[in-house]
Amino acid sequence: EVQLVESGGGLVQPGESLRLSCAASGFTFSNSWMHWVRQAPGKGLVWVSRISSDGLSTTYTDSVKGRFTISRDNAKNTLYLQMNSLRAEDTAVYYCASPTMTTRAFDMWGQGTMVTVSS
Amino acid sequence: DIQMTQSPSSLSASVGDRVTITCRASQSISNYLNWYQQKPGKAPKLLIYTASSLQSGVPSRFSGSGSGTDFTLSISGLQPEDFATYYCQQSYSTPWITFGQGTRLEIK
């Protein structure tokens, strides 16, 4: 069964750090480009970051550039998002997702992990 | 960034109805348009990719059309499990993917 399972969310204070993980199984993770997408409470979906299959190419949305770092360990079939200098506006459910390369549509999603930034 | 605008933002309908949701892109995106369904507390689920292709396992009452800047998602014969929020998403400018703001489909 194809599966993405996020973990690492929680409650942190502004300025603190958190690392999210996304464990993949049931498909060839090392061949897959991976993304993080977030959703603030009651709001829509927002793309956050992407990493190439080999980990050498990364891209970020402007609002997290310089604060978040996406990475992966293909030996462990795991995707990461290191989030530093967290702000209240980073409060959201964070999903890892993987697109089909030919269609560029996200056909695989994790269940999400909640990050709350509040004092 | 390519802006995606969905209409309506919310919609009330009855079981058995046919509904249509519209998504407009701020510039041409060819057919790189995908539709997702999201239920409360759940991850989005891919319904339609490249504007009109039905994802495996998705009921045939869902259909998509359009190209360029204007797209539609139609659901014929609404079922109780179809009441959810629907999002369009452009993947033309990957990785700078953008989603529409969502359309909440409610039971009348």
Side-chain angles (χ1 to χ4, degrees), chain A:
Chain A
E1 179 192 5
V2 170
Q3 203 170 12
L4 295 171
V5 179
E6 299 97 335
S7 60
L11 172 63
V12 296
Q13 295 190 347
E16 293 187 338
S17 300
L18 208 56
R19 188 177 84 156
L20 307 183
S21 299
C22 170
S25 60
F27 66 102
T28 308
F29 178 74
S30 59
N31 287 347
S32 301
W33 291 57
M34 297 296 297
H35 297 243
W36 287 99
V37 175
R38 69 184 180 183
Q39 185 171 37
K43 302 297 184 181
L45 300 163
V46 177
W47 173 79
V48 174
S49 183
R50 179 196 76 169
I51 188 167
S52 61
S53 56
D54 60 6
L56 297 181
S57 175
T58 59
T59 317
Y60 302 90
T61 192
D62 285 347
S63 63
V64 309
K65 207 172 293 184
R67 300 188 299 122
F68 289 13
T69 302
I70 189 171
S71 63
R72 64 192 296 158
D73 185 336
N74 284 345
K76 295 182 177 179
N77 287 345
T78 304
L79 172 73
Y80 302 101
L81 186 67
Q82 176 67 43
M83 304 185 294
N84 298 331
S85 303
L86 282 161
R87 305 167 180 169
E89 54 266 33
D90 296 319
T91 294
V93 174
Y94 285 73
Y95 296 100
C96 59
S98 182
T100 301
M101 292 310 292
T102 51
T103 69
R104 307 186 197 173
F106 292 120
D107 59 342
M108 284 189 286
W109 294 76
Q111 85 288 355
T113 188
M114 182 70 204
V115 172
T116 303
V117 185
S118 175
S119 54

Side-chain angles (χ1 to χ4, degrees), chain B residues 45-65:
Chain B
K45 173 188 173 183
L46 178 64
L47 299 175
I48 302 285
Y49 60 92
T50 56
S52 60
S53 296
L54 192 67
Q55 174 70 356
S56 176
V58 174
S60 59
R61 62 180 179 272
F62 291 91
S63 63
S65 65

